[in-house]
């Protein structure tokens, strides 16, 4: 079948990679727009594979491929534990989001998404925006988080993280309020800044850090936050450390600096290695598994797909996002009872969900 846009589709060069553990991996190249992308469909047991599109200055195609695989796998677990009838996938575009973006590039990416016929649903992620997804939308309906739908997922991600922090503080410190607690927030971008506002409104003191000085100053002005350098944030005098920048925030070096008894933030892949999670557990530091606490954005954008045709229902989404606190509470309790790190409890629960296909 030739399809209704044969000229553009034929310009994209597709290469399918067979990688064990993944349903499909597609390498896409479009010389006309400069698109170089990888789309990874990890698992569609529970529904179409959903996951944002990251644009990053990857050093090599292999790095991009590895990142797409790691992120897609995480999305499968995130959707499963959030109780969504969705699978996990992810796309990465190789390029500098400050220099290499163009409407043509995102339209070409949209055609690549369309090529998968709805097996994969894209959305925004680090380096891409609602405006970029609006371009993608011109080529495919398999995109969430567009301006006339749920829009920017970051505020809902931040709200979910706030619920998660409350659950963790209750569990670790026996406190029902954040009043008087100090939270160290690493990264003041889309999610981190919203989170600071919610924490400030909840009575928490803030210590903040960002590699961008203007973002730090904005948080200082808005919330009276105390700024520290990027190397000092993990060791800040705070009860909670909230990583909201890039992955790998918890590693051997940062663990040695930690003063916080709770780690609960938005970043994906916070633990550099599984050993870091076991060490936190051994040392009595309560870690909120990243893909559980940061699912608010996915719950929000999922409405564009699952509630197709209906207007975005903010009240319903807000109620769903609040369940993140209860979910973490249950995970922390099992962790304490069985003496297993919370992320191992979460992984086991996600695998259980995947073993039973969702009933339509
Ligand atoms: P963003 O790009 O808007 O913000 C990231 C911020 O971190 C930027 O301000 C950047 O300058 C800062 N940063 C980078 N390195 C740093 C360092 N070493 N120290 C301090 N600051 C540093 O991204 P975002 O959308 O806010 O997402 C933040 C994290 O949360 C990412 O890991 C993302 O994958 C994850 N996440 C985001 C969402 C969402 O809805 N946006 C959902 C789930 C997970």
């Amino acid at each position: 079948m030739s399809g209704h846009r044969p000229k553009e589709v034929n310009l994209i060069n597709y290469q399918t990679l067979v990688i064990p553990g993944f349903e499909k991996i597609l390498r896409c190249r479009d010389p006309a727009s400069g698109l170089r992308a990888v789309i990874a469909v990890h698992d569609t047991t529970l529904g179409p594979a959903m996951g944002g599109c990251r644009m990053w200055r990857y050093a090599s195609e292999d790095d991009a491929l590895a990142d797409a695989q790691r992120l897609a796998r995480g999305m499968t677990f995130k959707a499963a534990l959030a109780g969504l009838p969705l699978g996990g996938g992810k796309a990465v575009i190789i390029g500098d989001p400050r220099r290499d973006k163009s409407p043509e590039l995102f339209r070409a990416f949209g055609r690549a998404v369309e090529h998968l016929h709805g097996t994969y649903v894209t959305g925004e992620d680090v380096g891409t925006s609602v405006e970029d997804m609006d371009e993608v939308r011109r080529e495919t309906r398999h995109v969430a988080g567009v301006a006339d739908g749920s829009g920017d997922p970051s505020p809902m991600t931040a709200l979910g993280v706030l619920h998660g922090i409350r659950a963790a503080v209750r569990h670790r410190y026996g406190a029902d309020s954040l009043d008087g607690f100090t939270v160290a927030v690493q990264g003041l971008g889309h999610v981190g800044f919203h989170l600071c506002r919610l924490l400030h409104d909840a009575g928490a003191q803030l210590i903040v850090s960002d590699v961008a000085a203007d973002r730090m100053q904005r948080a200082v002005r808005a919330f009276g936050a105390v700024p520290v350098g990027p190397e000092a944030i993990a060791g800040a005098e705070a009860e909670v450390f909230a990583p909201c920048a890039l992955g790998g925030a918890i590693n051997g070096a940062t663990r040695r600096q930690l003063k916080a008894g709770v780690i609960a933030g938005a970043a994906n892949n916070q633990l550099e290695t599984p050993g870091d999670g076991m060490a936190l557990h051994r040392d009595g530091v309560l870690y909120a598994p990243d893909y559980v606490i940061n699912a608010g954005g996915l719950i929000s954008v999922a409405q564009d797909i699952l509630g197709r045709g209906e207007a975005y229902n903010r009240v319903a989404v807000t109620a769903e996002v609040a369940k993140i606190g209860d979910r973490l509470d249950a995970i922390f309790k099992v962790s304490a009872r069985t003496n297993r790190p919370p992320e191992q409890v979460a992984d086991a629960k996600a695998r259980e969900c995947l073993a039973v296909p969702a009933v339509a």
Side-chain angles (χ1 to χ4, degrees), residues 215-279:
R215 294 191 173 179
M216 224 150 47
Q217 282 316 313
R218 194 162 65 122
V220 171
R221 280 195 306 274
F223 314 119
V226 175
V228 298
E231 67 300 330
I233 191 73
E237 289 288 350
E239 285 84 15
V240 180
F241 175 40
C244 298
L246 301 179
I250 306 300
N251 52 51
T254 54
R255 270 196 292 107
R256 279 189 288 279
Q257 299 166 22
L258 274 180
K259 313 245 176 7
V262 165
I263 295 173
N268 281 311
N269 303 311
Q270 289 172 35
L271 302 174
E272 193 168 82
T273 67
D276 290 308
M278 290 194 279

Side-chain angles (χ1 to χ4, degrees), residues 54 56 71 78 90 124-127 152-158 185-193 209-212 215 229-231 233 243-247 265-269 290 294-298:
R54 178 165 293 195
W56 194 250
L71 292 163
K78 189 184 298 198
K90 202 82 183 184
E124 68 160 311
D125 193 65
V126 174
D152 179 7
S154 310
M156 284 298 175
T157 302
V185 181
Q186 177 189 48
L188 304 167
H190 288 97
V191 181
F193 191 78
S209 184
D210 198 294
V211 286
R215 294 191 173 179
E231 67 300 330
I233 191 73
C244 298
L246 301 179
N268 281 311
N269 303 311
D290 44 18
N294 72 13
L298 175 65

Side-chain angles (χ1 to χ4, degrees), residues 48 50-51 75 78-79 82-87 121-123 143-146 149-151 153 156 295-310 312-313 317 320-321:
M50 189 150 182
M75 290 308 295
K78 189 184 298 198
L84 295 165
L86 293 169
V121 181
T122 198
V143 52
V146 289
S150 60
M156 284 298 175
L298 175 65
I299 291 168
S300 178
V301 298
Q303 292 312 303
D304 288 349
I305 300 302
L306 304 174
R308 192 166 285 288
E310 284 174 32
Y312 180 67
N313 186 337
V317 170
E320 273 309 307
V321 171

